[in-house]
Amino acid sequence: DTGVSQDPRHKITKRGQNVTFRCDPISEHNRLYWYRQTLGQGPEFLTYFQNEAQLEKSRLLSDRFSAERPKGSFSTLEIQRTEQGDSAMYLCASSLETGGTMSLIFGPGTRLTVL
Amino acid sequence: AQSVTQLDSQVPVFEEAPVELRCNYSSSVSVYLFWYVQYPNQGLQLLLKYTSAATLVKGINGFEAEFKKSETSFHLTKPSAHMSDAAEYFCAVRSSLNTGGFKTIFGAGTRLFVKA
């Protein structure tokens, strides 16, 4: 296992289009997180999965955003009717909670540009 | 809710000079703290973590951080900067979720510039 992977690495789309990103976590990690990072800011929490269950969603995640993790493996993040304000780096991370230490392993991110 | 504040948005240092990146956290009974590093166009990588064991935590690449409860600080230090240390550094804290799990909350980041 070579770590967390994300696809695509870059996505340029026109306003109003739908986009979907994929994250493949480390196989034995049961927890998966999506974060969004804009220029000059730290990552902001979007949503969290434990196995296949989506347990929490941030208020940042509007109705246009949806995330899934079928069978507790890879995850997808879809943005419908994209807006210019959605332009950001979308980061996926996974972890294996042991004793509460929870170190996140991040993927390289998907950079979204909405024109 | 837990939070962290990174006091400097940018820190310039000369090569081989000591580095200190400052972070303060909101007070809590139990706190887990982290430092992550992000190189250009890459994801974040864990440098070190504090989990209520030793107050001086050693991480990768020669970095260390000291947990000071009286000052609610967790500053990141390195005795001698290398050009390869130039990156964005994020202080982070574990926060509980309503559903019983945890999430990590990040500071705004400090960009470290290393000058020759």
Side-chain angles (χ1 to χ4, degrees):
Chain A
D1 199 347
T2 55
V4 179
S5 61
Q6 292 186 246
D7 184 69
R9 294 291 305 276
H10 304 273
K11 179 68 177 180
I12 300 174
T13 191
K14 293 182 179 180
R15 189 177 54 186
Q17 299 294 305
N18 299 342
V19 294
T20 300
F21 309 142
R22 177 181 170 121
C23 171
D24 286 273
I26 293 173
S27 56
E28 60 266 29
H29 284 186
N30 59 343
R31 298 178 184 232
L32 186 146
Y33 301 79
W34 284 99
Y35 283 80
R36 181 172 67 189
Q37 185 179 23
T38 53
L39 199 60
Q41 299 297 317
E44 297 172 296
F45 171 79
L46 292 180
T47 190
Y48 155 63
F49 289 86
Q50 182 169 334
N51 300 313
E52 67 275 10
Q54 186 176 19
L55 297 186
E56 187 125 347
K57 293 171 60 174
S58 163
R59 289 171 301 192
L60 293 174
L61 221 59
S62 74
D63 292 344
R64 297 183 297 106
F65 288 73
S66 62
E68 295 181 343
R69 192 184 182 196
K71 302 179 182 178
S73 56
F74 71 93
S75 176
T76 58
L77 178 68
E78 181 183 16
I79 309 174
Q80 296 181 327
R81 305 180 303 281
T82 52
E83 302 173 356
Q84 288 185 327
D86 297 331
S87 296
M89 176 78 87
Y90 290 84
L91 296 166
C92 176
S94 67
S95 74
L96 181 63
E97 182 83 6
T98 54
T101 56
M102 200 196 80
S103 302
L104 295 176
I105 307 298
F106 279 88
T110 295
R111 182 169 296 282
L112 173 66
T113 302
V114 182
L115 301 176
Chain B
Q2 293 276 28
S3 66
V4 289
T5 302
Q6 293 185 244
L7 300 168
D8 306 294
S9 60
Q10 299 182 29
V11 171
V13 298
F14 284 102
E15 194 174 16
E16 298 184 5
V19 176
E20 183 182 56
L21 307 182
R22 299 183 293 166
C23 173
N24 286 99
Y25 64 92
S26 59
S27 181
S28 174
V29 175
S30 171
V31 61
Y32 289 72
L33 293 162
F34 309 84
W35 275 98
Y36 285 83
V37 60
Q38 185 176 34
Y39 297 102
N41 299 313
Q42 294 187 27
L44 282 73
Q45 178 183 3
L46 180 69
L47 273 178
L48 50 82
K49 60 185 178 185
Y50 168 76
T51 58
S52 304
T55 56
L56 183 62
V57 182
K58 294 187 183 298
I60 62 172
N61 301 340
F63 284 94
E64 62 182 37
E66 186 172 6
F67 175 75
K68 293 186 177 180
K69 187 174 181 178
S70 61
E71 299 176 9
T72 61
S73 70
F74 190 57
H75 300 336
L76 182 70
T77 60
K78 183 173 181 178
S80 176
H82 296 155
M83 296 298 290
S84 59
D85 293 326
E88 188 90 20
Y89 292 80
F90 294 95
C91 182
V93 64
R94 189 190 75 173
S95 179
S96 300
L97 292 169
N98 296 331
T99 49
F102 301 100
K103 64 182 178 183
T104 303
I105 296 175
F106 291 85
T110 298
R111 180 161 295 278
L112 178 65
F113 294 95
V114 183
K115 299 178 286 186

